[in-house]
Amino acid sequence: MRRIGILLSGRGSNFEAIARNAASGRLDAAIAVVISNRPQAPGLELARSLGLPALAIPSKGLDREAYDALVIEALHAHDVELVVLAGYMRLLSPGFIRAFPMRILNIHPSLLPAFPGLDAQHQAFEYGVRVSGCTVHFVDEHLDHGPIVMQAAVPVRAEDTAESLSARILAEEHRIYSEAIRIVLSGRYRISGRRIVTEEY
Ligand code: GRF
């Protein structure tokens, strides 16, 4: 079974969706470990309740490289092959990217490259876009930037608030993240510049 490691800082609803798909066999992967920089993250509690190895690695007093070295060590100790960021609120160091080259995924709640950074759903809503969505991409050293594996579009409705739009985007996040993980684990894609070319599209 292919082993994935989840990094999160908060609620963990994307992690939960992935865990459900892994448990039901819809996603042929095992969650080897869940790691959070925030000991209080609800996602860690959720991992424990699902019987998954859950580690808090607080970052206080450590610089980015030193902190990331601890996380890399924990991921290696659990034989993780693919790192999945699921609401992980830290920028990864160059050393982290080098330790898992093209082996780190992130999900972002906008159609990148529009609205990188925090609160993307609110940014998109306030900007007045008619279509937003979510993006799963490989992680590089820049924020919300690496090659795109999968996107889903979510139309903005006249009656939407930023909250109702966020909720519909989140439902799509839960759907596409496992799909993207499946594609990456299958190895059935090639990379041409920034483009990920799969058999599916
Ligand atoms: C999601 O909106 C994700 O796109 C962003 O952080 C949020 C995490 O939510 N990167 P959750 O913790 O998975 O519920």
Side-chain angles (χ1 to χ4, degrees), residues 11-14 87 107-109 121 173:
R11 172 176 68 171
S13 72
N14 276 286
I107 190 156
H108 183 74
Q121 307 94 324
E173 293 183 40

